Amino acid sequence: LGRMKPVIVVHGGAGRIFKEREEGSRAGVVRAALRGYSVLQQGGSAVDAVEEAVQSMEDDPHFNAGCGSVLNEKGEVEMDAIIMDGKNLDSGAVSAVKCIANPIKLARLVMEKTKHMLLTDHGAHLFAQAMGIPEIPGEKLITERSRERWKKNLEPDSNPEEFQKDLGTVGAVAIDSEGNVACATSTGGLSNKLIGRVGDTACIGSGGYADNHCGATSTTGHGESIMKVVLARLILYHMEQGMSPEAAADTALDYMKTRVGGLGGVIVVNKAGEWAARFSTKQMSWATVKDDNLYYGIYAGEKHIKSLDEALASEREGF
């Protein structure tokens, strides 16, 4: 077996990215991709790389995951996350978790330390305690912006749907030098959602899927629509039928739009290391590192390219 050239692709959420947040979103996905890639370069696994990339975005208040998550109807943060290993189809997920900084770390522990795949709410909380994951006050995860939006959505004439367009789930897919693929996805969910709502992110096949025989994908967008068409698995199905990552992504997104009126975005890598970042929303922040080049964008048709060296240098200077 020849050594694979590692590839990582990340997204910071599909929807509408408001002008004042563009720079931060771009910088955030670039930083996450560079971090994940450095794990791969040092011989780390695809699973390690996607976890690292997603954790980087959970810690970045620009994104609706970890710190910066949107608030539910009661004004609390409830987060969902999933991780999947394409080698043996092992997966771990958590839903409706509160008061921890990095749900993706907890999802990884569910995958590796339990016989289960998905833990929710109180049970996930007990498991986090058992694993020694530090608890943080819920307020620590709440940004001024999330609270503002929550208040706005409570007004009698508000239309939360309007705001849902700025969704911001985060995710990553990777292939490592051994040819193993993995995916990871993490989110704060929908603003002003019902308590206990679980979206696509925690659901295998919807929020993400990874299989060495084919590839890996992570999704973002309207969770309920994504669940209806099992979007991540649908993309892999199209690739199994011989489609390129880009064609598979576009075909699946198009189906979701025509069949259930849902919009979203996806990142994909196939087992040959070909990748795609596609979306049916106005925007999606994304970044990729492959062959020592960094690619990134937010708008349809936008694709900046920098050499890895140049990207790392400007990262050190503070983007």
Side-chain angles (χ1 to χ4, degrees), residues 124-159:
H125 173 75
L126 293 175
F127 177 66
Q129 281 181 327
M131 289 289 121
I133 288 190
E135 229 177 287
I136 58 170
E139 295 73 66
K140 271 254 174 31
L141 297 170
I142 298 177
T143 59
E144 194 44 48
R145 173 172 168 269
S146 298
R147 197 178 289 290
E148 283 301 300
R149 154 167 318 172
W150 173 71
K151 280 205 198 102
K152 255 207 180 95
N153 285 343
L154 288 179
E155 292 164 12
D157 58 348
S158 85
N159 175 8

Side-chain angles (χ1 to χ4, degrees), residues 11-310:
H11 70 73
R16 191 180 53 195
I17 297 163
F18 298 111
K19 270 279 179 267
E20 72 275 10
R21 304 173 53 74
E22 259 182 40
E23 269 324 290
S25 296
R26 259 198 204 100
V29 287
V30 164
R31 182 179 310 119
L34 292 172
R35 281 204 191 166
Y37 192 71
S38 94
V39 169
L40 295 170
Q41 268 188 319
Q42 290 157 33
S45 69
V47 173
D48 289 338
V50 294
E51 180 186 23
E52 177 67 33
V54 164
Q55 190 187 319
S56 165
M57 291 183 284
E58 286 177 339
D59 293 339
D60 183 331
H62 280 94
F63 302 107
N64 172 17
C67 175
S69 288
V70 297
L71 311 187
N72 67 11
E73 56 178 355
K74 257 181 65 180
E76 300 175 334
V77 165
E78 287 188 318
M79 301 167 290
D80 300 342
I82 194 169
I83 194 163
M84 186 167 183
D85 184 345
K87 189 164 34 185
N88 46 17
L89 306 189
D90 275 351
S91 179
V94 292
S95 76
V97 296
K98 305 181 184 80
C99 304
I100 63 167
N102 298 109
I104 199 65
K105 281 186 164 170
L106 191 56
R108 172 103 189 240
L109 289 168
V110 170
M111 174 169 81
E112 292 182 347
K113 305 285 185 205
T114 77
K115 293 194 174 80
H116 307 310
M117 281 170 76
L118 173 56
L119 291 182
T120 190
D121 200 352
H122 183 58
H125 173 75
L126 293 175
F127 177 66
Q129 281 181 327
M131 289 289 121
I133 288 190
E135 229 177 287
I136 58 170
E139 295 73 66
K140 271 254 174 31
L141 297 170
I142 298 177
T143 59
E144 194 44 48
R145 173 172 168 269
S146 298
R147 197 178 289 290
E148 283 301 300
R149 154 167 318 172
W150 173 71
K151 280 205 198 102
K152 255 207 180 95
N153 285 343
L154 288 179
E155 292 164 12
D157 58 348
S158 85
N159 175 8
E161 292 302 307
E162 235 336 90
F163 282 99
Q164 296 314 354
K165 299 198 173 102
D166 181 27
L167 286 164
T169 297
V170 305
V173 295
I175 187 165
D176 60 30
S177 55
E178 311 277 301
N180 294 312
V181 299
C183 70
T185 313
S186 180
T187 191
L190 290 179
S191 190
N192 296 64
K193 62 190 178 179
L194 295 180
I195 292 166
R197 177 263 190 186
V198 177
D200 64 296
T201 300
C203 302
I204 192 170
S206 292
Y209 202 81
D211 181 350
N212 280 7
H213 294 163
C214 184
T217 179
S218 167
T219 66
T220 166
H222 184 245
E224 281 73 13
S225 299
I226 290 170
M227 290 161 92
K228 285 174 185 175
V229 302
V230 197
L231 186 62
R233 192 64 189 82
L234 182 59
I235 292 167
L236 289 200
Y237 165 77
H238 287 313
M239 294 203 302
E240 285 161 355
Q241 302 298 305
M243 282 189 193
S244 68
E246 192 161 300
D250 287 349
T251 304
L253 283 168
D254 191 50
Y255 176 71
M256 183 167 84
K257 192 173 175 178
T258 52
R259 188 72 178 87
V260 299
L263 301 179
V266 300
I267 50 174
V268 190
V269 65
N270 70 9
K271 63 179 184 184
E274 299 166 323
W275 62 275
R278 308 293 291 170
F279 47 99
S280 52
T281 50
K282 278 218 174 84
Q283 290 147 292
M284 178 179 81
S285 53
W286 62 272
T288 305
V289 184
K290 179 180 179 177
D291 290 336
D292 294 329
N293 282 316
L294 165 76
Y295 307 84
Y296 61 97
I298 286 186
Y299 292 95
E302 178 191 359
K303 191 188 208 179
H304 302 284
I305 306 182
K306 279 185 180 179
S307 77
L308 187 58
D309 293 342
E310 187 190 347

